[in-house]
Amino acid sequence: MEDRKFKIAILGPENSGKSSIMNALFGRYVSLVSEVGGTTKMPIKRYWGKLKIGRSKENPEFINIVFVDLGGLYTTSDKQSPIMTPKILEKTFKEINDSDMIIHVIDGSIGLLRSFEKLHHLLKFRYQKPIIVVINKCDLLNNIDKEILKKYVENRLKNTPIFVSAKTFEGIPELLDTIIRYLKR
Ligand SMILES: Nc1nc2c(ncn2[C@@H]2O[C@H](COP(=O)(O)OP(=O)(O)O)[C@@H](O)[C@H]2O)c(=O)[nH]1
Ligand SMILES: [Mg+2]
């Protein structure tokens, strides 16, 4: 039997740190990081590795994990990004549609955008996608900021966020753990 493929799409506003998180998950450079935003235009797909999920020794079951860094669908100003041409937009939606799980990245220094809140609900309810919410740049947040943002996100998305920092790698192991736990459930 051929190994199953599991595709995880990383979604979020420009500059929220999608490419940085992708690099942190791989432990090396795979996606271009930029100060100015709008760097990742076409989705960037990378094979992460094979994970054994089956319990049986005789019949081990493996899953091939692929991550996709989606370009920013919207700018941080909460408007549709002008850098996305129809072709890129089409490809981006194809990748979203094709994905088995979404990582919704929130920029911790900005907060949850309305546009992404709507997109989150659309993906959750209409497309039935499992979604992991991560709040990135937690190295910039103090405990009070974190608590306020966590409550807000939980309230709006009914989802407990994981705090991560693609800069310090804080929370990256927890993110991987959450993915693996989901796959082994
Ligand atoms: N302080 C801090 N900066 C970050 C973090 N993750 C990304 N950045 C910075 O945010 C900017 C945008 O990152 P990038 O990964 O290109 O975002 P993308 O547009 O969502 O792919 C870059 O200047 C990164 O160095 C983080 O966890 N902490
Ligand atoms: Mg990027």
Side-chain angles (χ1 to χ4, degrees):
M1 199 176 72
E2 218 193 300
D3 296 338
R4 198 148 59 95
K5 195 167 101 183
F6 192 83
K7 199 196 267 185
I8 306 169
I10 307 174
L11 176 100
E14 272 171 34
N15 262 330
S16 56
K18 297 177 298 297
S19 302
S20 303
I21 289 172
M22 178 103 160
N23 290 337
L25 288 166
F26 282 78
R28 64 191 159 88
Y29 167 83
V30 287
S31 192
L32 188 61
V33 170
S34 158
E35 301 281 330
V36 286
T39 309
T40 315
K41 288 173 182 156
M42 267 298 185
I44 294 177
K45 212 183 312 187
R46 290 287 179 276
Y47 174 65
W48 185 78
K50 202 191 281 280
L51 191 74
K52 182 171 173 289
I53 53 162
R55 279 178 232 283
S56 117
K57 272 212 176 85
E58 301 75 41
N59 248 325
E61 198 187 332
F62 293 98
I63 200 155
N64 285 304
I65 301 176
V66 171
F67 283 96
V68 188
D69 175 4
L70 300 170
L73 277 175
Y74 302 89
T75 62
T76 43
S77 61
D78 220 2
K79 288 197 195 79
Q80 209 165 0
S81 171
I83 54 139
M84 275 219 158
T85 65
K87 195 174 153 233
I88 297 169
L89 202 62
E90 191 190 312
K91 180 91 176 103
T92 301
F93 276 110
K94 194 187 160 295
E95 289 298 345
I96 292 174
N97 199 31
D98 208 40
S99 63
D100 303 290
M101 174 181 267
I102 308 274
I103 296 177
H104 175 178
V105 180
I106 295 170
D107 186 332
S109 65
I110 290 179
L112 176 63
L113 300 178
R114 283 289 288 162
S115 51
F116 277 88
E117 188 179 327
K118 285 185 197 154
L119 187 58
H120 182 104
H121 287 121
L122 182 78
L123 294 172
K124 180 175 170 182
F125 296 113
R126 174 125 28 110
Y127 291 86
Q128 304 275 304
K129 301 284 184 193
I131 309 178
I132 296 177
V133 179
V134 307
I135 297 176
N136 189 37
K137 308 193 185 179
C138 75
D139 55 288
L140 301 176
L141 305 175
N142 63 36
N143 288 339
I144 300 167
D145 294 337
K146 279 190 190 173
E147 200 46 45
I148 293 170
L149 192 52
K150 181 168 183 263
K151 287 228 168 82
Y152 182 78
V153 168
E154 277 175 347
N155 185 34
R156 305 299 302 194
L157 304 180
K158 311 290 175 229
N159 193 318
T160 306
I162 302 171
F163 282 99
V164 305
S165 167
K167 193 178 171 184
T168 66
F169 278 53
E170 187 184 335
I172 298 296
E174 285 82 352
L175 174 58
L176 276 170
D177 257 16
T178 307
I179 296 166
I180 292 168
R181 253 187 288 121
Y182 177 87
L183 287 169
K184 291 195 169 183
R185 83 203 185 285

